Amino acid sequence: MGGLNCGVTLALLGVLLRGAALLPRRAEAAEIALPPGSDITISIKPGTSTLARPCYILTSKTPTIMLSIKSGEKKTFSFMCQNPENYFVIEIHKNIDCMSGRCPFGEVQLQPPTSALPTLNRTFIWDVQAHKSIGLELQFSMPRLRQIGPGESCPDGVTHSISGRIDAAMVKIGTFCSNGTVSRIKMQERVKMALHLPWFHNRNVSGFSIANRSSIKRLCIIESVFEGEGSATLMSANYPDGFPEDELMTWQFVIPPHLRASVSFLHFNVSNCEKKEERVEYYIPGSTTNPEVFKLADKQPGNMAGNFNLSLQGCDQDAQNPGILRLKFQVLVQHPQNESYITYTVDLSNERATTLTIEPRPVKLSRKFVPGCFVCLESRACSTNLTLTPGSKHKISFLCDDLTRLWMNAKQTISCMDHRSCHRKSYFLQVPRDILQLPVQLHDFSWKLLVPKDKLSLALVPAEKLQQDTRERICNTSFSYLMASSSSSPGQDLYFGYFCSGGSIEQIRVKQNMSVTLRTFAPSFQQEVSKQGLTVSFIPHFKEEGVFTVTPDTKSKVYLRTPNWERGLPSLNSVSWNISVPNDQVACLTFVKEQTGLVCQTGRAFMIIQDQRTQAEEVFILEEKLPKPTFHHHNFWVNVSNCSPVNGKQLNLLFQVSLTPRTIDLPVLLTAVVGGGAFLLFALGLIIFFVKKNRKKKKNKGLAVGIYNGNVNTQLPMQPKKLQKVRKDSESHVYADIDDTIVYGHLLLDSNGSFVQPEVDTYRPFQGPREDCPPSPPPTCSRARTAKLTTEEPPPGSSAESESEPYTFSHPNQGNESNRDTDIPLLDAHEPAESVE
C-alpha cells in the first residue's frame, strides 16, 4: 500500500511540474535611468506581432502595454513573457537643439548603450534643428551607405532612414543599408536620422558624425565615393512619391582618375509645370559648357573621367493637376576599354528610311558586379541603348568591357505608291558598309517592301541561289533570310520561311507587301558578306500569293515546302513552283508523306502538276492521297491551292526534286538510225518518180484545172453533218499536184462579181514554256471530282499533228467561217453551193 501511495505522489508531482512549465514566465527585470538634460526619451511599445497570446510590461506591479521614460527618470520593469522581442520595440529619441545653444558636433554616441537596453528591436532617432541658413552634414565612416528602394531590405537588418524639412513639411531623403558609396549627406535647417538595429545585433556605435556647414541653398547634397569599379543606384527625395515642388537636389560623385563613369536613368516621371522647366544639370570636369543641361528623357552623359555633379531641378507645378516628379538612376564606374578611344562614323545621310539600334543582348542576370556596356554618341551622351536616325551622320564610341554583349538591329523601308513611276524599278538589298564596319555583331537587318494594292507585285532575285531551311536540309550558313508577306486581312500573312545561300531557288515573286529580314547566327558573317544581297523589282501585279523559280542541282536533292509551315497555308491561297529540268536530265518529284490530313469545310484543295512543253496537266484533290513519285523530262509547274479547311486541319506539304541523267538504249538508237535512213531513201525515190511523171503530163496535156462540184454529198448515210474521219485519217487535205490556178467557181466571187482575195493564216509551232503563267487551278468552290490527265493521253481537242510543221490555210473572209475547226477540210459539202450565194 505504501508503494502505491508513493507512485501516485510522483505522478501528481510530474503533472504539476509540467503545468508550471506551460505557465508564462516573467523575463528578468531591467532598469533604465536617463540623466537630466540629456534630451532623450525612451518608448517601449507594441510592435507588429501577430501572435494570439498577449504579453505585458510589468512596472510597479502594474501590467501595461506601453512604457515611456523621459530625461531625468529612472524606471525598473520586466516583461510577462519569455520572448518580448516578438511583442515590443523600443525607440530612443534624442533632440539636438542647435538654435538656442551650441551644437554638439562630432561623432554621435549611442545613448544609452545597447548593453543597457532590453533585447528588443531598437530604433535610435536623432532630431537636429538649426537655423535656415545653417547647413548640417552627416558624415558616415566605413562602411558607407547604399540606398535602397521601397520594398527592399538590408541583409543584416541594419537600416538608416534620413529625412529633412521644408518649412513644416518633412521630406524623406532615403533609406540606406551598409556597404555602399554614400559618404556624406548635407541638408538645410533640420535633419532627422533614424538607425534601426534588430534585437540580435550587438552594435555599439552609430557610425556617423554631425558637422556644421555653410548654407547649401538647396534641399540636400548627397556625396557618393567610388574606390574602384562598381555601381550605385540613387533616388530623388520622397521616392517613389513626388519630388518637392520647385526644389533642387544634388549628387556629388568622386571618381578615381583612371576610371570612367556613366549615368543611366532607370525610371523617371515628370510633373505638370506652370513655371520653369524640370531638368537635370551636370558639372563635368573639363567641359566648356558647364552646367550641361539635359531633359529627363534625353540620353545622359557617359564615359566621364574624374569627379562630377548631377542636380535635379523641379518647377512650379499646376495646382489643379501637379503630377509627380521622380527619378531613379544608376551610376556605373569601370575601367575604360580600347574601344573607348575609337570613334566610328555611321553615315545615314543617304539612307532616308533606315534606322539602326544598338542594344544589349538578352543575358542571364548575375548577382556579381558586371561592368556596363554603353554606346556613346559624340563620346559623351552614353546609354545602354542607342538608336541612330536616318538622314545624318553619327559619331559613336563604346564604353564596354565585352562588345559581344551588344548587337545591332536595323530597319529600312522601300515603298512605291505610284505604280506608274516605279514599274520595273529595282533596288539592291544589302547591308551598308558603315554598319558592317562597327565592332558589334549585326543581329537583324529588315527591309519592309510596300507596293500599291492590286497594281504591282514584287520579285526577289538573290546574289546566290537560295536554299529553303527544312528539317531534311538545315541551313548551316552564318546568315539567312526570313521572308514573309503581309496582308490587309488578319490571319492571311504568309511566312515563306528561312532561306540561305547555296540552294536552287533563283527567284521569289510575291503578290503584295512583304518583309525580308537578314539574320546572322555567327561572327563569321563578316567573312561571308559578299554572299548576301537581294535585288527586288516592282513587276506587274499577279494573283498568285507566291511563285518560286527553282533550278535543281544535279548533285543534291531540293526540298521545298508550303508557306506558313506548321501553321498551315491560309485559306483560299495559291502558291506555285516553276521547276526547270535540264535537257539531259530527268526530274523525280516525290512527296514526303502520302496524305495531307486536310478536311475542307468549303471548296476543294487542289494540286496541279503541269508539263510546260506539252501543257499536259495532272490535277489532284489534296483531301485524298498525294501522288506517287513522278518523272518529268521537261520544265514543269507545281501549283497548290487551298480550300477553307475545318478548324484544326492544316495544309502543309513538303516535297523533294532530284535529277538523274537520261539513259538511251544503244540497240534502239541503232535501229532508229537505220530505219530512218531507209525511209529517207524511199522518200527521195518517190519524189523523183512523181516529178518525172508530172513533167510528162505537162508535155502531153494543157493546164490542169480543178473544178469544185457543190452537189457531191460527202456525208455518210444516216449521219448528217458529222465526219467520221478527222484530217489525219482521211486524205482530203493531201494534193499530189496543184497547178498555179485553181478555180472554185462562185465561192471566190463577191456580190459584185469580183474576185475576193483569200485571207491567209500561218500556224507557227509552240516556241517554249510560258514560265510567267502558272497553271490556273480549278474553282475552289467546286465539289465535282476532277479527272486526272496524263502526258500519255493528249488533252481533248488537241491536234495530233506535229507542232513543227507549218500549214497555210485559205478561206473566205466571212464571220461564220472564223471559228471553224481547222482539222476539217476547207471544202465543206454540208450544204449545196447555192446557199453560199
Side-chain angles (χ1 to χ4, degrees):
M1 181 66 70
L4 180 60
N5 291 336
C6 180
V8 172
T9 303
L10 291 175
L12 291 174
L13 180 60
V15 172
L16 292 175
L17 290 174
R18 190 178 301 114
L22 295 175
L23 293 175
R25 291 186 294 173
R26 183 182 303 177
E28 295 182 0
E31 181 180 271
I32 297 177
L34 299 177
S38 61
D39 292 328
I40 297 176
T41 301
I42 295 178
S43 299
I44 301 176
K45 52 187 178 181
T48 58
S49 173
T50 58
L51 299 177
R53 183 177 299 174
C55 182
Y56 297 97
I57 305 172
L58 186 63
T59 175
S60 302
K61 298 183 181 181
T62 303
T64 182
I65 59 173
M66 294 187 65
L67 179 63
S68 178
I69 307 171
K70 297 181 180 179
S71 178
E73 293 183 347
K74 177 180 178 182
K75 290 189 178 180
T76 303
F77 59 92
S78 62
F79 298 99
M80 300 182 65
C81 56
Q82 189 65 26
N83 48 351
E85 67 275 5
N86 295 332
Y87 298 91
F88 299 99
V89 297
I90 184 171
E91 288 184 358
I92 303 95
H93 192 283
K94 179 176 178 62
N95 290 318
I96 301 176
D97 187 3
C98 296
M99 300 179 65
S100 58
R102 184 178 178 181
C103 281
F105 296 122
E107 185 178 355
V108 176
Q109 302 294 327
L110 293 182
Q111 295 178 346
T114 55
S115 58
L117 298 174
T119 55
L120 304 177
N121 292 335
R122 301 176 287 274
T123 302
F124 291 88
I125 300 173
W126 296 270
D127 196 345
V128 184
Q129 299 184 26
H131 292 282
K132 289 185 177 181
S133 60
I134 299 296
L136 299 173
E137 179 181 284
L138 302 180
Q139 297 180 353
F140 301 93
S141 59
M142 298 298 290
R144 300 189 180 103
L145 302 185
R146 174 176 61 89
Q147 189 170 7
I148 60 174
E152 296 182 73
S153 59
C154 299
D156 58 358
V158 179
T159 59
H160 303 74
S161 298
I162 303 172
S163 302
R165 183 173 181 175
I166 300 176
D167 297 330
M170 295 298 297
V171 179
K172 182 180 180 181
I173 303 302
T175 302
F176 301 84
C177 300
S178 302
N179 298 324
T181 61
V182 175
S183 59
R184 291 189 296 175
I185 296 179
K186 303 175 186 178
M187 280 173 286
Q188 192 93 356
E189 182 183 357
R190 185 173 179 178
V191 174
K192 187 174 183 180
M193 169 71 181
L195 173 63
H196 174 77
L197 298 176
W199 63 272
F200 52 83
H201 209 286
N202 296 323
R203 180 170 174 170
N204 289 315
V205 294
S206 64
F208 74 97
S209 60
I210 300 177
N212 184 14
R213 292 293 182 263
S214 59
S215 176
I216 61 175
K217 298 180 180 179
R218 62 198 68 201
L219 174 62
C220 71
I221 299 175
I222 298 178
E223 182 183 74
S224 181
V225 178
F226 288 84
E227 299 290 344
E229 287 189 322
S231 64
T233 300
L234 298 162
M235 286 150 270
S236 58
N238 279 345
Y239 190 89
D241 297 327
F243 187 70
E245 182 179 8
D246 194 22
E247 280 295 331
L248 179 64
M249 181 176 181
T250 300
W251 292 266
Q252 294 178 339
F253 297 96
V254 180
I255 311 295
H258 64 283
L259 300 179
R260 298 291 185 269
S262 299
V263 177
S264 57
F265 286 0
L266 305 179
H267 182 264
F268 67 88
N269 290 87
V270 294
S271 57
N272 299 318
C273 298
E274 283 188 343
K275 296 180 181 179
K276 301 181 183 179
E277 186 178 8
E278 297 168 343
R279 62 189 185 276
V280 289
E281 298 178 353
Y282 290 87
Y283 279 88
I284 303 173
S287 175
T288 58
T289 58
N290 282 329
E292 295 188 15
V293 180
F294 293 82
K295 295 181 179 180
L296 274 72
D298 293 339
K299 299 294 183 182
Q300 303 303 311
N303 201 17
M304 294 178 287
N307 306 336
F308 69 96
N309 294 352
L310 167 61
S311 298
L312 174 64
Q313 175 66 63
C315 66
D316 292 333
Q317 299 173 351
D318 185 356
Q320 300 297 327
N321 184 22
I324 293 179
L325 171 61
R326 56 187 171 193
L327 172 63
K328 181 179 182 180
F329 66 96
Q330 183 185 62
V331 176
L332 187 64
V333 177
Q334 60 191 39
H335 288 284
Q337 307 298 317
N338 293 333
E339 295 293 340
S340 304
Y341 304 102
I342 302 176
T343 300
Y344 298 89
T345 301
V346 181
D347 188 1
L348 299 180
S349 56
N350 295 326
E351 307 289 343
R352 296 295 177 183
T354 302
T355 58
L356 174 66
T357 300
I358 304 175
E359 57 190 354
R361 292 172 180 263
V363 295
K364 295 181 179 180
L365 297 177
S366 175
R367 294 184 178 181
K368 297 181 180 179
F369 168 72
V370 178
C373 262
F374 293 96
V375 188
C376 303
L377 188 62
E378 302 295 338
S379 74
R380 185 56 62 81
C382 300
S383 63
T384 56
N385 295 270
L386 178 64
T387 298
L388 304 182
T389 56
S392 59
K393 291 184 178 181
H394 307 274
K395 293 183 178 181
I396 64 174
S397 60
F398 297 92
L399 181 63
C400 183
D401 65 322
D402 183 7
L403 289 177
T404 61
R405 295 167 55 193
L406 299 174
W407 64 19
M408 298 183 292
N409 293 285
K411 295 180 181 179
Q412 185 180 37
T413 301
I414 299 176
S415 61
C416 170
M417 295 297 105
D418 185 3
H419 67 281
R420 294 168 296 183
S421 63
C422 54
H423 180 239
R424 297 293 182 184
K425 188 177 290 186
S426 298
Y427 296 90
F428 191 51
L429 307 185
Q430 191 174 33
V431 182
R433 290 185 178 180
D434 282 0
I435 294 178
L436 292 176
Q437 56 102 19
L438 295 175
V440 178
Q441 181 185 345
L442 175 67
H443 178 234
D444 278 354
F445 197 108
S446 298
W447 292 272
K448 191 173 184 180
L449 310 175
L450 305 177
V451 295
K453 186 177 181 181
D454 299 333
K455 298 292 184 182
L456 293 176
S457 294
L458 295 165
L460 290 170
V461 178
E464 292 190 1
K465 290 191 293 185
L466 299 177
Q467 164 198 334
Q468 188 170 14
D469 184 81
T470 63
R471 293 179 181 176
E472 290 72 17
R473 190 177 180 187
I474 300 174
C475 287
N476 292 321
T477 55
S478 62
F479 72 96
S480 64
Y481 293 100
L482 172 61
M483 299 186 184
S485 69
S486 57
S487 173
S488 57
S489 302
Q492 294 295 314
D493 292 349
L494 271 181
Y495 291 88
F496 292 109
Y498 282 96
F499 300 84
C500 58
S501 58
S504 302
I505 300 175
E506 293 184 338
Q507 186 188 68
I508 299 175
R509 287 183 288 169
V510 180
K511 173 183 176 181
Q512 53 197 355
N513 301 338
M514 74 174 303
S515 64
V516 179
T517 300
L518 183 148
R519 177 164 295 174
T520 65
F521 303 100
S524 58
F525 167 71
Q526 295 290 346
Q527 285 75 40
E528 299 182 359
V529 169
S530 60
K531 296 183 180 180
Q532 60 98 16
L534 294 170
T535 300
V536 58
S537 303
F538 296 97
I539 61 176
H541 179 73
F542 59 91
K543 295 184 179 181
E544 293 283 317
E545 297 296 333
V547 178
F548 296 83
T549 301
V550 183
T551 301
D553 188 358
T554 58
K555 298 180 181 179
S556 60
K557 298 178 181 179
V558 179
Y559 289 92
L560 301 167
R561 64 186 183 187
T562 51
N564 272 29
W565 185 253
E566 295 181 352
R567 283 178 286 180
L569 187 68
S571 302
L572 307 180
N573 275 6
S574 180
V575 185
S576 293
W577 289 265
N578 178 17
I579 302 174
S580 300
V581 182
N583 293 331
D584 60 342
Q585 301 286 322
V586 177
C588 178
L589 175 65
T590 306
F591 291 87
V592 174
K593 55 184 179 180
E594 295 183 355
Q595 291 183 333
T596 62
L598 180 68
V599 178
C600 291
Q601 185 174 7
T602 58
R604 279 283 175 87
F606 293 95
M607 179 173 63
I608 301 175
I609 302 176
Q610 182 191 71
D611 189 291
Q612 294 184 19
R613 176 175 293 185
T614 64
Q615 301 298 309
E617 293 183 351
E618 288 185 283
V619 183
F620 302 91
I621 300 175
L622 295 179
E623 296 174 78
E624 302 173 359
K625 288 186 178 181
L626 288 171
K628 295 181 179 180
T630 57
F631 296 90
H632 303 269
H633 295 75
H634 312 117
N635 300 348
F636 63 98
W637 284 100
V638 176
N639 173 267
V640 176
S641 301
N642 197 12
C643 61
S644 294
V646 176
N647 291 337
K649 301 295 181 181
Q650 300 171 346
L651 177 57
N652 291 309
L653 290 181
L654 175 64
F655 58 94
Q656 68 181 27
V657 180
S658 58
L659 296 179
T660 55
R662 291 192 183 185
T663 56
I664 301 178
D665 192 2
L666 184 59
V668 174
L669 179 60
L670 293 176
T671 303
V673 170
V674 173
F679 177 78
L680 182 62
L681 292 175
F682 173 77
L684 183 60
L686 191 63
I687 292 173
I688 294 173
F689 170 77
F690 278 109
V691 168
K692 290 182 177 181
K693 184 178 180 181
N694 185 33
R695 288 179 180 177
K696 291 180 180 180
K697 287 182 179 180
K698 286 184 178 181
K699 291 179 181 180
N700 299 330
K701 298 181 178 180
L703 295 175
V705 178
I707 300 175
Y708 172 78
N709 187 352
N711 296 322
V712 178
N713 183 12
T714 62
Q715 299 294 324
L716 295 176
M718 305 304 293
Q719 293 185 2
K721 296 186 180 181
K722 183 176 181 181
L723 292 177
Q724 185 176 5
K725 294 184 178 180
V726 296
R727 289 185 65 187
K728 70 177 182 177
D729 300 324
S730 68
E731 296 182 353
S732 60
H733 63 294
V734 179
Y735 298 88
D737 181 40
I738 302 177
D739 280 330
D740 297 332
T741 306
I742 300 177
V743 181
Y744 288 94
H746 61 275
L747 290 177
L748 298 179
L749 297 176
D750 61 5
S751 59
N752 297 327
S754 59
F755 283 96
V756 179
Q757 292 292 335
E759 289 187 354
V760 178
D761 289 345
T762 301
Y763 174 82
R764 298 187 182 274
F766 185 59
Q767 299 297 327
R770 298 178 297 166
E771 293 186 355
D772 292 338
C773 300
S776 300
T780 56
C781 297
S782 173
R783 286 288 183 179
R785 301 183 65 85
T786 304
K788 299 181 182 179
L789 304 178
T790 63
T791 56
E792 288 76 16
E793 299 178 6
S798 64
S799 174
E801 297 171 355
S802 173
E803 295 176 347
S804 62
E805 297 178 6
Y807 292 90
T808 302
F809 301 103
S810 300
H811 56 83
N813 185 14
Q814 295 187 15
N816 59 353
E817 299 290 339
S818 61
N819 295 327
R820 186 166 295 174
D821 189 356
T822 58
D823 287 343
I824 301 176
L826 180 64
L827 303 181
D828 194 346
H830 292 189
E831 296 180 2
E834 290 75 15
S835 63
V836 180
E837 298 179 351

